[in-house]
Amino acid sequence: MLLTISTTYNPATDLGFLLYKNPYSVQSFELSFGKAHVFYPEANEARCTAALLLDIDPIALVRGRKDKRGEGALQHYVNDRPYVASSFLSVAIAEVFGSALSGKSRERPDLAATPIPLIATISAIECRAGEEVLRRLFEPLGYAVEVTGHQLDETFSEWGASHYYSLKLEGTCTLHDLLTHLYVLIPVLDNDKHYWVGDDEVNKLLRHGEGWLAKHPDCELITRRYLRYKHHLAREALQRLADDDDLDPDLSEEKHANEEAAVERPLSLNERRLGTVIAVLKETGARRIIDMGCGEGRLVDRMMQEKEFSQIVGMDVSYRSLEIAQSRLKVERLPERQKERLQFIQGSLTYRDKRFSGFDAATCIEVIEHLDLPRLSAFERVLFEFAAPKAVIVTTPNSEYNCRFETLPAGQFRHRDHRFEWTREQFKSWANQVASRFNYKVRFLPIGDVDAEVGAPTQMGVFEK
Ligand code: SAH
């Protein structure tokens, strides 16, 4: 049974710090059901892959088992356990990658908390309910899911398809997220769960499901299957999950976004911002556009109304925002030709990502002020050096204007998640410095009515090559 985890985060070998496993040596661990080996088939700056190989001992399994079917029956020795991702894999993840599973990293604490491009592959997983269920479980968590079915026996094609699949998950998330998703969902797929389900399992499920399980569309299915249909445990877990929903960080982001809208509403600033951005985009002649930090998709919605934009991609780090964007645009119900123009992807502006390349223009509307200042230089390289579209439009609040908002107390930002708000001078000096470093020309335009003393409420930089 083989699980691999790869990243293209640069330097990719930092994966070793996140997993607490040296990329340049092979390490082995004794577990109650066999051995786990960790090694790296590839480890360089551009790409690093860690492999967890489980060498399950079917004889030891039988010995450890008090089974009413009696010891020594053939099915005890000849079974799929050694080859298939089962709840043994979850146990191995917890024992071998325990710190990474709980999101800790001594050497790279910031990286452990940041979404990075990750790919996980599982050589074989059993799913009696079929490929569809694999997708239903993993896709809502933001992964691109690739499922390869296997025949029962390649030499006897007439025997047909088996219930075994190879699985590849690709997404941008923290390693902690990826491991918790695998930790919970693999036993959900495993019909033959090997350990006793007791009260402690409810706590385990809630702990590892924190932040994602409650809002998963198949929360109930996952809970019931994880708890092996023990109804009283599943009921308790579902009740507690409903209570936890209030702590959802994405929800509080939404509330805060509403606060910002309330501060700016008298100016209908958002409308004017969108109108100006569309006008400038048309002026640059862009056809393929990526909206970075697209949030709930307001700008993407407006872009879709402009026929000359042939490819429109909305990108955001927040899965919930992307969900809201997709329902705002009624993506499911769009005619095929419209659907082809549009795509939403989950990603991060501070990590190099090849999906960001090949666009005529990128927009970054009211986003930079959400980035931590020390991450700004990573963002500059990701956007201007690697994605490098012909035009970039960046907007951000003009902090000088804040004193004109009647409802905003002095010294306060417009949104609680803003890490900074810049004066016109600060924005200009940042933008000029970025433009000269990456060979762009930049011009500045105000958005909203210009106040003689403090300028316009929003400032915009238009960068062109
Ligand atoms: N552009 C949208 C949303 C602005 S709010 C609009 O004008 O309506 C800021 C958005 O940036 C949020 O949706 C947030 O999830 C996103 N964001 C913050 N940090 C990000 C990052 N590192 N990568 C991608 N998106 C990010």
Side-chain angles (χ1 to χ4, degrees):
M1 177 19 248
L2 183 69
L3 163 74
T4 68
I5 296 175
S6 311
T7 186
T8 50
Y9 165 78
N10 197 311
T13 43
D14 272 4
L15 185 61
F17 290 119
L18 297 182
L19 290 171
Y20 285 71
K21 298 288 172 289
N22 183 344
Y24 304 105
S25 64
V26 179
Q27 293 172 65
S28 300
F29 304 84
E30 291 287 344
L31 304 174
S32 60
F33 47 82
K35 281 203 176 100
H37 308 281
V38 178
F39 57 95
Y40 290 73
E42 58 182 345
N44 55 59
E45 275 213 342
R47 194 182 162 95
C48 182
T49 297
L52 171 66
L53 178 75
L54 290 193
D55 185 7
I56 293 173
D57 176 357
I59 313 278
L61 286 187
V62 176
R63 282 205 202 103
R65 185 147 148 177
K66 293 192 178 57
D67 192 310
K68 45 184 174 307
R69 281 177 292 182
E71 270 194 22
L74 185 62
Q75 70 259 38
H76 289 160
Y77 293 99
V78 183
N79 57 46
D80 66 5
R81 299 292 88 186
Y83 314 106
V84 167
S86 65
S87 51
F88 290 121
L89 177 58
S90 294
V91 176
I93 288 175
E95 295 200 10
V96 177
F97 297 142
S99 299
L101 177 65
S102 58
K104 289 191 216 120
S105 169
R106 200 174 37 238
E107 308 278 348
R108 296 284 185 280
D110 290 347
L111 188 58
T114 315
I116 57 174
L118 287 168
I119 300 169
T121 67
I122 291 176
S123 53
I125 192 160
E126 187 184 18
C127 186
R128 290 185 172 272
E131 175 178 340
E132 168 67 19
V133 168
L134 279 172
R135 294 188 181 283
R136 257 174 61 185
L137 292 180
F138 289 101
E139 278 176 352
L141 297 168
Y143 298 102
V145 177
E146 213 177 287
V147 181
T148 313
H150 295 292
Q151 292 194 313
L152 211 48
D153 190 321
E154 281 168 6
T155 47
F156 299 96
S157 57
E158 66 275 18
W159 290 3
S162 73
H163 297 127
Y164 297 100
Y165 300 89
S166 298
L167 178 67
K168 180 174 167 197
L169 306 173
E170 189 163 0
T172 301
C173 59
T174 63
L175 181 63
H176 159 74
D177 286 339
L178 174 65
L179 291 175
T180 53
H181 295 154
L182 294 174
Y183 179 91
V184 170
L185 294 180
I186 287 166
V188 163
L189 290 161
D190 184 8
N191 272 321
D192 190 16
K193 198 151 173 253
H194 71 279
Y195 49 84
W196 167 247
V197 175
D199 287 345
D200 191 38
E201 289 295 299
V202 175
N203 290 326
K204 254 193 237 167
L205 174 66
L206 295 180
R207 193 166 74 245
H208 293 293
E210 201 181 321
W212 61 273
L213 181 54
K215 58 188 182 210
H216 194 295
D218 274 317
C219 171
E220 193 166 332
L221 172 94
I222 294 168
T223 305
R224 292 195 191 288
R225 289 196 56 114
Y226 185 92
L227 296 169
R228 278 304 86 154
Y229 300 103
K230 300 260 172 195
H231 297 303
H232 67 288
L233 292 181
R235 209 170 29 245
E236 181 201 327
L238 286 167
Q239 176 62 44
R240 285 170 60 188
L241 276 166
D243 296 345
D244 285 354
D245 211 13
D246 294 342
L247 303 173
D248 185 344
D250 275 343
L251 273 181
S252 64
E253 161 83 18
E254 253 167 62
K255 277 188 207 136
H256 296 171
N258 291 338
E259 275 168 30
E260 183 176 19
V263 171
E264 294 182 343
R265 184 169 301 126
L267 307 176
S268 63
L269 194 51
N270 198 36
E271 272 308 300
R272 297 177 71 166
R273 204 152 40 215
L274 297 180
T276 313
V277 172
I278 296 280
V280 174
L281 274 175
K282 288 174 136 182
E283 206 182 281
T284 66
R287 297 176 58 76
R288 288 165 308 162
I289 305 160
I290 179 164
D291 185 25
M292 308 187 101
C294 64
E296 299 177 2
R298 288 187 190 88
L299 179 60
V300 170
D301 198 357
R302 289 288 295 269
M303 287 188 210
M304 286 296 284
Q305 293 160 29
E306 307 295 333
K307 291 202 184 59
E308 64 218 78
F309 300 154
S310 58
Q311 188 195 354
I312 301 164
V313 174
M315 186 280 284
D316 203 283
V317 76
S318 156
Y319 184 71
R320 190 183 193 97
S321 296
L322 291 173
E323 271 184 335
I324 296 173
Q326 276 158 313
S327 70
R328 167 195 297 278
L329 276 106
K330 304 193 177 60
V331 174
E332 289 298 314
R333 275 181 274 150
L334 282 178
E336 217 40 54
R337 289 207 30 209
Q338 294 299 325
K339 233 188 239 175
E340 280 167 12
R341 292 168 68 208
L342 175 66
Q343 196 192 357
F344 284 102
I345 59 177
Q346 192 181 24
S348 172
L349 272 166
T350 52
Y351 292 98
R352 185 176 171 174
D353 192 325
K354 53 181 183 303
R355 297 173 302 169
F356 302 166
S357 309
F359 292 92
D360 302 320
T363 48
C364 206
I365 306 307
E366 305 296 287
V367 175
I368 57 169
E369 64 276 9
H370 290 260
L371 304 177
D372 287 323
L373 271 171
R375 301 295 298 148
L376 211 54
S377 60
F379 156 74
E380 291 160 15
R381 294 193 65 199
V382 167
L383 180 51
F384 292 93
E385 183 179 338
F386 298 118
K390 285 187 221 90
V392 176
I393 299 176
V394 177
T395 76
T396 194
N398 163 19
S399 65
E400 293 165 81
Y401 195 93
N402 286 356
C403 61
R404 295 285 187 267
F405 288 115
E406 280 171 10
T407 54
L408 189 67
Q412 196 167 311
F413 292 154
R414 295 183 203 179
H415 185 302
R416 254 184 276 170
D417 191 45
H418 287 180
R419 309 302 156 92
F420 58 86
E421 285 179 358
W422 279 336
T423 63
R424 284 168 291 173
E425 213 32 62
Q426 287 171 312
F427 179 55
K428 272 193 184 142
S429 83
W430 172 79
N432 282 326
Q433 166 279 109
V434 167
S436 82
R437 234 169 76 225
F438 300 104
N439 293 320
Y440 282 79
K441 284 200 175 59
V442 60
R443 59 197 162 101
F444 300 94
L445 294 168
I447 297 180
D449 293 333
V450 180
D451 179 290
E453 199 184 328
V454 296
T458 299
Q459 39 189 348
M460 173 165 70
V462 182
F463 300 77
E464 282 172 285
K465 273 212 206 255

